[in-house]
Structure formats: C-alpha cells, structure tokens
Amino acid sequence: MALPKLKQSATEARLDALTMPEGGLLQSARAAAVARVQTMGLPHRRDEYWKYTTPTSLVEAEAPKAEVFVSGEAPLFDHFDSVKIVFVDGVFDAEASDDLALDGVTIERLVDVAQKDIHWSKDLYGVLEARGQTPVERPLAALNTAYAADGVVIHVTGKPSKPINLVYRHESETSDAYLHHVIRVDSDAEATILENGPAASRFNNVTEVEIADKGTLHHVRAQGRDHERRASTHMFARLGTESVYKTFTLTVNGVLTRNEHVVELTGDDAAAHVAGACVGDGDFLHDDTVFITHDAVNCESRQVFKKVLRNGATGVFQGKILVKEGAQKTDGYQISQSLLLDDDSQFLAKPELEIYADDVACSHGSTSGAIDEEGLFYLRSRGVPAAEATDLLTLAFLAEAIEEIENEEIGETLVDRLQSWLSRRR
C-alpha cells in the first residue's frame, strides 16, 4: 500500500538529509532498515500509537534548536566506580572516557565493529529492532538502525566488578545525535549499565539487548536536564530461560521525550521489570510506550510507571502485555499513575492486555489524581512548610517505581537528585 502523500513527503525529506555510515559488516542491516522506513513512513499524529504525542519535531529534517543548560551539578553517577564512556552530541570523546578494558566484559565502539569482516554483533544489530516492528510499527527505531554512526557494542561474559556508565553531553544547540548500542549477556553472566545526560538537542537512541539463559542485566537511565531537548529512545530486549532484565528510567525536563520498551520473554522462568518515573513542569511532554510479549512458561513481567506533572505538563503511558498461546503460568503486572499538581496538567493512558493462555495472573491499573490532602494537612500541622510537604509527598508517590532499582545506592542517588530538582522548583 502506498504511503499517504503527507507521510511520504516527510519521510523523503528526512532521508534526504541523512547520510548512511560506511562499514560493510552492517551494510545489509542498514539497507533493510531504510527499506522498512520507506515502507512504514515516519510517524504521524494520525498513527494509533502516536495519537497522544505529536512527532513533528522528531521527524523534521533539521533538529529544533535547544539551549544548553548549565546546572553546576556533577554528572549523576560520577561518584560511582565505573567505566565511563562519554559521547558529546552523539560523538565519542576518547579523552573524557575511561579505558574500555574490564574483566568479564568486552566493550567496543560500533564504528570500529562496522569496519570488521566478522563480528558477533552482525547477528544482532537491527535484528531485535526488526522483530519489534510487529505488530506495532516503530519507524524511528528503524531510522536509527539505518543511520546511527556510533554507539557501544558490549559482550558480557562474566560478572564485571563495576558498572558501565554511558555519559551523554550536550554542547551544540543544533545537534542531532543518533546512537545505537548492542548488548549481549552470556549464560550466568551479569552486568549493570548506567546512562545519563541530555545527549543532544535532538536524540535518537536504540539499544538492543540479548540475554542468554540465566543471564542478568540491570539498566538505570537518567534523562535531563536541558529543558528544550527532544529525545526518542527504544530498548529492545530478548530474554532466555531463567534470565533477568531490569530497567529503570528517570526523566526531568525536556520539552518532548518518547521512551519505548519492547521486551520478549522467550525462555521459561524469565523475569522482566520495566519501570520509570518523571517529573515535568510547564512545556513538557513525556511518553512511555511499552510492549511486553510472554512467549514461554512461568515468566514474570512488571511495568511500574509514575509521573508527576504541573503547570500544564503532559504525561502519556501506553503499555501492553501480550501472552501468547502456551505461555502458561504467566505473571504480568502493570501500573501507571500520575500525580497532577494543578488543573492544567494531564495524563493520558492506554493500558492493554491480550491473553491467549488460560493459566495466567495478569493485571493492569491506571490512576490519576491530585496531592493527598490528608497527608498534606498532617505534615502542615506538624510545622512542615507547604512547598516542602508537597515535595515529600511527591517523593513518596514516586517511591514504588524507584524501588524497582536493584542497587539501593543507585536508587538513593536518584532520590537525592530529585529532591534537589524539586527544591529548586518550589
């Protein structure tokens, strides 16, 4: 079927403005991704999964200008002993990055891998993204597969002694960054990946994760703080038997952020936890879109999302649990909640369950409400100022999502940063 003229014109304009990176190893995957984009067309507000979020600024040929915000704070995870990998406006910064050598893991740059004749990542690059296009099309992810020039390729073979910390710095007001990461976790291996920073004026990021039997990956991401930035991110994960995948994202500021998670549980007894929290103020739209497929026996999935919105901010949650035939003993849980601190903000939710097995325990819920007046009165009656009491109740509201983080120290770091953000916004 031919694309509508409006989508076709926008898609052609965007592709004409991009140049495909060189590198024979990934060339066939890139060409296939371009073909997918041409067939699907770039997203439009009329598309079912974009009806709450206007994608115009994510697809136009030139990135909208975004002022660089200087916070004066140290990068979020700087105090952790980690392997730091720095990208500035989507370009690897070797001087600011650490040595990539670490026991139990091999870390390479995508640009270097693409020049090789043989590499394991060829069997994974673009593969999970392509699988994730059904039943919902994700053209921005295919666009990334085709045109991302760099990223990291991580092969976890053991249990590295410290996390890998991806730091994204924004220095140009017109930067348009594409990064693509590929992660493979071997059987019985375990690693933690951290991500933080505003990245660019406009950021398109894709991560493909394959976890073998009994492998474990922890992922914690913090997005912010430049207010005018825009971001579209996709995380695709495929889980083997008894594997564990836990990911958490904290977002503050940003005029438009769309985070998509596509997870396949293909091995028995696997567990996937996808969680997020955001605090938005004013001209702020934050969209979490999640699709989890249960295709094995006795698997567990959790989706926990909390949004705090004020001064006209908008939050969106679209989450689906698909239980395929034969995926008995599935335990699927989904909750999305918003705290609206004024009458001008809004929360738009679309929770879904699609179940083809008869021995499952699946639930979903979505709520939206104002601050707890009784709790606020209790704190005020004990001498806590109104603004500080509101902040305390806000942090309590976000706690369920933050508790999904396995590492308590990382969780406490995020809470401390949230407290600082809230206190400045009083």
Side-chain angles (χ1 to χ4, degrees):
M1 180 184 295
L3 288 175
K5 186 175 181 179
L6 187 64
K7 289 189 74 171
Q8 183 176 0
S9 298
T11 301
E12 290 175 353
R14 187 73 191 102
L15 295 180
D16 288 344
L18 294 168
T19 302
M20 187 179 294
E22 296 181 359
L25 184 74
L26 306 178
Q27 214 63 30
S28 61
R30 295 188 189 280
V34 171
R36 288 195 291 277
V37 175
Q38 291 172 330
T39 299
M40 294 182 287
L42 292 176
H44 188 275
R45 186 69 182 268
R46 293 179 180 176
D47 297 340
E48 175 66 20
Y49 280 88
W50 285 91
K51 65 181 181 180
Y52 299 137
T53 301
T54 302
T56 305
S57 62
L58 297 175
V59 303
E60 56 193 4
E62 294 186 5
K65 188 175 180 180
E67 183 178 351
V68 178
F69 176 77
V70 180
S71 68
E73 297 176 321
L76 188 60
F77 301 120
D78 253 22
H79 63 288
F80 286 96
D81 183 19
S82 64
V83 174
K84 184 168 64 175
I85 304 172
V86 180
F87 291 90
V88 180
D89 292 320
V91 178
F92 177 71
D93 188 335
E95 291 187 2
S97 300
D98 294 335
D99 186 342
L100 302 186
L102 179 64
D103 290 342
V105 64
T106 301
I107 307 171
E108 302 170 88
R109 289 179 60 199
L110 183 70
V111 68
D112 295 332
V113 166
Q115 305 304 319
K116 296 184 177 183
D117 295 326
I118 300 174
H119 195 273
W120 62 264
S121 61
K122 183 180 180 180
D123 297 329
L124 193 55
Y125 183 88
V127 172
L128 300 188
E129 174 264 300
R131 289 174 62 90
Q133 300 293 346
T134 305
V136 178
E137 294 179 344
R138 308 177 198 280
L140 290 177
L143 189 73
N144 179 289
T145 297
Y147 294 103
D150 212 348
V152 289
V153 177
I154 299 173
H155 187 189
V156 184
T157 57
K159 297 184 178 181
S161 58
K162 48 189 174 183
I164 299 164
N165 184 11
L166 306 180
V167 181
Y168 304 133
R169 295 178 182 169
H170 174 205
E171 293 185 359
S172 169
E173 292 185 343
T174 57
S175 55
D176 194 12
Y178 286 73
L179 290 176
H180 194 115
H181 308 312
V182 180
I183 303 171
R184 170 171 284 171
V185 182
D186 283 355
S187 181
D188 294 308
E190 181 175 356
T192 297
I193 307 292
L194 306 175
E195 292 185 87
N196 74 95
S201 297
R202 181 169 64 184
F203 187 38
N204 183 322
N205 186 32
V206 167
T207 302
E208 296 180 282
V209 179
E210 184 172 60
I211 307 176
D213 298 350
K214 298 184 179 180
T216 300
L217 183 69
H218 300 283
H219 171 256
V220 180
R221 172 172 59 180
Q223 298 172 314
R225 298 249 314 276
D226 298 29
H227 179 67
E228 295 177 353
R229 65 173 181 80
R230 291 164 172 82
S232 167
T233 77
H234 293 79
M235 295 198 70
F236 300 93
R238 181 167 57 189
L239 281 63
T241 300
E242 296 183 43
S243 63
V244 176
Y245 172 64
K246 292 187 176 183
T247 177
F248 173 87
T249 300
L250 171 67
T251 305
V252 295
N253 288 8
V255 68
L256 173 59
T257 304
R258 164 94 166 200
N259 295 326
E260 297 198 34
H261 299 266
V262 183
V263 182
E264 295 180 88
L265 296 99
T266 61
D268 296 346
D269 303 297
H273 292 197
V274 182
C278 81
V279 285
D281 193 342
D283 184 16
F284 171 94
L285 190 150
H286 188 274
D287 181 337
D288 284 302
T289 295
V290 184
F291 198 111
I292 295 182
T293 300
H294 286 259
D295 196 13
V297 175
N298 199 39
C299 291
E300 172 192 290
S301 68
R302 285 177 59 85
Q303 300 176 50
V304 180
F305 287 88
K306 300 290 189 90
K307 300 179 188 290
V308 178
L309 308 165
R310 65 182 176 188
N311 294 330
T314 298
V316 175
F317 174 78
Q318 301 177 106
K320 184 166 185 173
I321 301 172
L322 169 62
V323 182
K324 290 190 173 182
E325 186 176 354
Q328 306 294 357
K329 306 294 183 183
T330 286
D331 182 359
Y333 173 76
Q334 179 195 98
I335 186 71
S336 61
Q337 296 178 316
S338 72
L339 179 62
L340 305 180
L341 299 182
D342 57 42
D343 294 333
D344 298 323
S345 300
Q346 62 176 335
F347 177 57
L348 307 169
K350 184 185 178 185
E352 297 178 88
L353 297 177
E354 187 174 345
I355 302 171
Y356 298 98
D358 55 14
D359 186 8
V360 303
C362 291
S363 65
H364 66 72
S366 184
T367 63
S368 184
I371 200 80
D372 179 5
E373 292 295 338
E374 290 187 7
L376 186 62
F377 176 80
Y378 177 86
L379 292 171
R380 292 293 310 280
S381 67
R382 279 148 182 79
V384 180
E388 186 176 339
T390 299
D391 290 352
L392 289 172
L393 293 172
T394 297
L395 290 170
F397 170 78
L398 296 171
E400 183 183 359
I402 296 173
E403 286 170 359
E404 291 292 313
I405 300 172
E406 190 85 5
N407 187 304
E408 291 185 4
E409 186 178 0
I410 293 176
E412 290 171 359
T413 297
L414 295 181
V415 170
D416 290 343
R417 188 57 59 95
L418 271 174
Q419 287 177 322
S420 298
W421 188 91
L422 290 170
S423 66
R424 288 192 298 272
R425 294 278 176 161
R426 288 174 186 165

